[in-house]
Amino acid sequence: MKKDRLLAKWLNDELSPDELATFEASPDFEKYQRIKKYTNHLEVSDLDENTMLSNILSQKKIAPKVVPLYKKWAFRAAAIFVLALGITFAMKVFVPQTETADLGKKTAFSLPDNSEVVLNSGSEIHYKKWNWDNNRHLALKGEAYFKVAKGRKFEVQTNLGKVTVLGTQFNVKARKNRFDVVCYEGRVKVNYNNIQVLLTHGQSVRFENGKQIKMTVSSSKPEWMDNQISFYKENIRTILDEVERQYNIKIDLNAKDTISLFTGKLPAKDLNTALQIIGTTYHLEARKVSNNKIIFDEK
């Protein structure tokens, strides 16, 4: 039997007489006796497991929370995304909106109340979406056709005058010093300087250089929406300006007679035919010097 086994049995008083004799004869017996004598004086209290657990838990230090780097980047990306959404929403709602029709093109769109707008070439509109139903107001540069949904007062402001309606269809053109309004349905109130004119279905008014001309129309919508350019007693420079917008070209005029007035229509999708009509009317000859440059010379 190994020595540690004998030592354990001796400490527990479990050795037989023979084993005890053998153990006492060992050279380390005297050392073992001194250890046993010393340990007999030690007192060990009963183990209180619950108290020990409580003490351990109360002394446990809370380790600092470490956020992995990838989570920090995720939080930052999420914050940037939310901020971007907020800015985008504000831009769409609070910042004035702009719709444009480039030269040679037309643009159709709907307003927040589903009112329909068609912009003619070289025109633009500015408006705000915020509180639109209670403040239906927009600014127009150029020419546009409106089909207004019924609701509160609807205003079109130009640099020459203002048009006010409730729910109707009308056309507004503000070019240089010329202000034209045509009513196709309902009633339209036109303000030009200190003059106020009320138009009903089939009526139109023109203001130019302080002069007012009121006319009637038989069409149900503007001719330009059907790719025709309509003129009534227009001088050649006004005609060429409109042709330039519709075809996105530049036209130079080498002619003396620019006073004669023209009434008629020109195609907005057939440049050669439009040039022939102008040339025949004013006795001019058109020269194409490039794809987007035309010169009219006297014959």
Side-chain angles (χ1 to χ4, degrees):
M1 186 174 292
K2 295 182 179 180
K3 184 181 297 185
D4 54 354
R5 175 64 176 166
L6 291 174
L7 176 60
K9 293 181 70 175
W10 175 68
L11 290 173
N12 292 323
D13 294 327
E14 295 177 355
L15 290 176
S16 64
D18 293 337
E19 291 174 337
L20 179 58
T22 302
F23 184 73
E24 290 178 350
S26 66
D28 296 324
F29 176 72
E30 186 176 352
K31 178 177 63 177
Y32 295 148
Q33 267 194 321
R34 288 197 300 268
I35 293 173
K36 185 178 181 180
K37 181 179 180 181
Y38 174 76
T39 56
N40 285 336
H41 293 83
L42 296 178
E43 294 183 359
V44 180
S45 60
D46 294 335
L47 179 64
D48 189 339
E49 296 178 352
N50 293 330
T51 301
M52 180 179 294
L53 179 61
S54 298
N55 290 337
I56 293 173
L57 293 177
S58 64
Q59 294 176 7
K60 182 179 180 180
K61 295 182 179 180
I62 300 175
K65 187 176 181 180
V66 179
V67 180
L69 184 59
Y70 75 90
K71 288 188 177 181
K72 290 184 177 180
W73 282 108
F75 294 153
R76 187 172 300 174
I80 293 173
F81 177 72
V82 172
L83 180 61
L85 284 180
I87 293 174
T88 301
F89 175 78
M91 290 288 287
K92 288 185 176 180
V93 175
F94 298 105
V95 177
Q97 306 295 303
T98 300
E99 297 285 349
T100 61
D102 296 334
L103 296 176
K105 298 181 180 180
K106 299 176 180 65
T107 299
F109 64 96
S110 296
L111 294 167
D113 61 351
N114 291 322
S115 294
E116 300 174 13
V117 183
V118 183
L119 279 175
N120 202 354
S121 302
S123 305
E124 64 181 47
I125 274 179
H126 303 276
Y127 69 97
K128 292 181 180 179
K129 289 185 176 181
W130 175 250
N131 199 31
W132 171 260
D133 288 340
N134 296 317
N135 184 27
R136 302 198 297 176
H137 178 91
L138 55 81
L140 168 67
K141 294 181 181 179
E143 184 173 10
Y145 168 76
F146 298 88
K147 187 175 181 180
V148 179
K150 293 188 180 298
R152 292 179 178 268
K153 179 175 63 176
F154 186 102
E155 291 184 339
V156 178
Q157 183 70 55
T158 75
N159 64 321
L160 297 175
K162 181 174 69 174
V163 179
T164 305
V165 303
L166 292 178
T168 184
Q169 299 180 39
F170 61 100
N171 190 83
V172 181
K173 178 167 67 175
R175 303 280 196 196
K176 295 183 177 178
N177 59 347
R178 169 88 170 267
F179 185 44
D180 293 79
V181 181
V182 182
C183 178
Y184 295 99
E185 182 183 286
R187 302 171 66 187
V188 174
K189 184 172 68 176
V190 182
N191 290 89
Y192 176 82
N193 293 334
N194 297 322
I195 302 173
Q196 185 175 105
V197 178
L198 185 64
L199 302 177
T200 58
H201 169 73
Q203 294 182 330
S204 70
V205 66
R206 171 195 296 179
F207 297 96
E208 186 172 13
N209 298 324
K211 296 181 181 181
Q212 174 185 336
I213 301 175
K214 196 170 182 179
M215 299 169 289
T216 59
V217 296
S218 58
S219 58
S220 60
K221 60 181 178 180
E223 286 84 354
W224 60 263
M225 294 181 64
D226 290 325
N227 297 317
Q228 290 185 320
I229 317 171
S230 180
F231 300 99
Y232 178 76
K233 293 183 178 181
E234 309 278 7
N235 62 54
I236 189 171
R237 190 62 260 176
T238 301
I239 295 169
L240 296 182
D241 286 346
E242 192 61 37
V243 172
E244 286 180 332
R245 292 189 195 96
Q246 295 297 328
Y247 289 96
N248 191 19
I249 59 175
K250 177 65 178 175
I251 301 177
D252 288 344
L253 177 63
N254 295 327
K256 295 179 181 179
D257 182 13
T258 59
I259 300 175
S260 299
L261 302 180
F262 172 78
T263 298
K265 297 179 182 179
L266 297 177
K269 292 295 183 180
D270 187 343
L271 178 58
N272 289 331
T273 300
L275 295 177
Q276 288 175 4
I277 294 174
I278 296 171
T280 301
T281 302
Y282 288 94
H283 306 288
L284 302 172
E285 184 176 356
R287 289 188 294 119
K288 291 185 178 181
V289 296
S290 67
N291 290 333
N292 60 353
K293 178 71 177 291
I294 307 294
I295 296 178
F296 271 116
D297 298 310
E298 291 183 338
K299 289 183 178 179

